[in-house]
Amino acid sequence: MRRAAAVGTAAALGLGVLVATAHAAERETEREWLDIEVFADVPAPGHPEGITVADDGTVYVGTQQHASEPQTGPSKIFAFDPTGDLVAEYVIEGQDPRHGAGVVGLAQDGDGIVYALDRYPQRVIALDPATGEQTDYATFAQVKDLCVPASALTLVTQCAIPDGLTFGPDGALYVTDVAQALIWRVPPGGGEAEVWFSDPRIESVFGANGIEFVDEDTIMFAQSLTGPADGLPPRPDTSRLYTIDIGPDGGAGELELFWESRPADGIDGFAIAESGNVYAALAFAKAVVVLSPEGREIGRNPATPAENLLLDVPMDDPASVAFLDDRVLVTNHTLFLGNPASWVVHDVYAGEPGRAEFRPQVR
């Protein structure tokens, strides 16, 4: 069911959360596993991608712009209460107006500070939702030689494009780079990101994407499309989930395959349940898939493109995933079509809670 959005201010965050949570619990009665509803409409500039859910149930969603749209910017981060009502918005400061809006992944620390990956410029922003104060937390470098910036070739060359982020137990921030075949590590407290892991097997036009900790010693990340080291088109490319163990010295261990998708699934973000099940967004297949702790597919919805078209708002390049109680919220990115009618966050019934994320005190 689509909900109307009511705009408030940052000071409104947290008000009515207990009542909203109770109403949300009532609504879950009789829902089937992986049932899909619309959680919230996302205002302009739209193209929601990053999402994170605070301990009090406040949902933060980041926005971008489609490449073909006027580069008006800037990005905004919207805050919704647990029922999907819009309660606050934050305009991102310091973006390059030549590129428009460009916020991708979101994360939080133990103080409730929201960390947003920005593409214009390439940085991590720390946003205090209570005050609206924004500071630059981390920066990224160009590592690969093949990069054609400020053009339609940016995504298909090896320009620095940080995409997903997650905190480790030591307060370091781990960040995927979708085009440079890298995982960055930002030291506790912020600063210049360092290359933590790189491997030719993850080179691709859509490479390393969503990232989460499986446990305190293991990272999992998504590879949206396999690259030259794993076979070339014209066959439809698959996606992969990989794991990497963190050694005693903090370095990266071996790259291990956890799951390989069907052709043309296009995995993006994911979230891990307490059970170990993995709920992942499939951008190209326009669906949510569920994997067992052993890496076996156990559920998918919508099952077909025809079923997707029957939704109130069809899935359109679903991107990031975050748990809200016993549901997963999935941002509808609409990266390729750029359809404003698709600017929503979907609510997918999981029937189980998410695994607690590492949210250390880092500042």
Side-chain angles (χ1 to χ4, degrees):
M1 180 177 65
R2 186 188 286 272
R3 292 176 179 76
V7 181
T9 65
L13 289 174
L15 295 179
V17 166
L18 292 178
V19 173
T21 302
H23 289 168
E26 293 175 4
R27 188 176 57 79
E28 300 309 327
T29 306
E30 306 299 329
R31 289 186 73 182
E32 295 183 357
W33 188 53
L34 300 187
D35 173 59
I36 300 173
E37 298 180 354
V38 172
F39 171 75
D41 295 288
V42 179
H47 304 287
E49 181 165 4
I51 187 168
T52 184
V53 179
D55 292 341
D56 67 358
T58 301
V59 178
Y60 297 95
V61 177
T63 56
Q64 295 189 44
Q65 283 183 276
H66 188 259
S68 65
E69 295 170 350
Q71 295 170 347
T72 55
S75 293
K76 293 182 179 180
I77 293 176
F78 294 102
F80 300 88
D81 73 14
T83 68
D85 286 334
L86 181 60
V87 295
E89 63 179 53
Y90 307 89
V91 178
I92 299 301
E93 302 167 356
Q95 286 186 318
D96 185 342
R98 296 172 297 175
H99 295 285
V103 162
V104 281
L106 299 182
Q108 290 179 76
D109 68 14
D111 292 322
I113 304 299
V114 176
Y115 295 80
L117 269 174
D118 189 10
R119 288 184 177 168
Y120 315 118
Q122 295 145 338
R123 57 180 177 163
V124 175
I125 302 159
L127 165 69
D128 185 342
T131 64
E133 180 184 2
Q134 301 174 36
T135 57
D136 286 356
Y137 183 78
T139 57
F140 302 90
Q142 182 64 44
V143 174
K144 304 288 187 177
D145 293 331
L146 179 61
C147 174
V148 184
S151 76
L153 294 175
T154 297
L155 266 177
V156 296
T157 59
Q158 293 183 313
C159 298
I161 305 179
D163 198 276
L165 73 170
T166 188
F167 276 108
D170 65 347
L173 192 62
Y174 294 82
V175 182
T176 55
D177 193 311
V178 75
Q180 291 199 111
L182 303 176
I183 296 177
W184 300 95
R185 182 183 183 274
V186 178
E192 185 175 346
E194 303 168 346
V195 176
W196 180 74
F197 176 81
S198 183
D199 191 295
R201 288 173 290 176
I202 65 171
E203 289 187 353
S204 172
V205 294
F206 284 99
N209 207 319
I211 184 169
E212 299 288 342
F213 269 81
V214 178
D215 54 47
E216 63 181 11
D217 298 317
T218 307
I219 281 179
M220 178 180 287
F221 73 95
Q223 176 78 1
S224 293
L225 288 176
T226 51
D230 292 301
L232 292 167
R235 72 173 180 85
D237 248 2
T238 59
S239 304
R240 293 182 174 185
L241 281 173
Y242 286 109
T243 60
I244 303 174
D245 288 339
I246 300 176
D249 63 351
E254 294 298 316
L255 186 68
E256 300 288 345
L257 179 64
F258 175 77
W259 174 74
E260 185 163 14
S261 77
R262 304 175 190 175
D265 270 350
I267 191 172
D268 196 327
F270 62 94
I272 303 174
E274 278 187 0
S275 65
N277 289 338
V278 179
Y279 291 74
L282 302 179
F284 298 165
K286 305 184 188 307
V288 171
V289 68
V290 187
L291 312 171
S292 74
E294 295 74 38
R296 178 174 56 88
E297 182 173 330
I298 57 176
R300 178 182 292 232
N301 194 32
T304 66
E307 287 186 11
N308 184 47
L309 293 176
L310 296 177
L311 295 176
D312 287 346
V313 179
M315 288 200 165
D316 185 355
D317 309 324
S320 298
V321 183
F323 271 90
L324 174 61
D325 300 322
D326 58 357
R327 306 118 72 193
V328 290
L329 303 182
V330 183
T331 53
N332 217 28
H333 190 194
T334 186
L335 172 64
F336 300 105
L337 295 180
N339 181 10
S342 298
W343 295 351
V344 303
V345 177
H346 282 109
D347 173 329
V348 182
Y349 183 58
E352 58 177 332
R355 180 171 293 173
E357 299 175 352
F358 292 116
R359 290 182 176 173
Q361 310 290 328
V362 299
R363 304 183 71 189

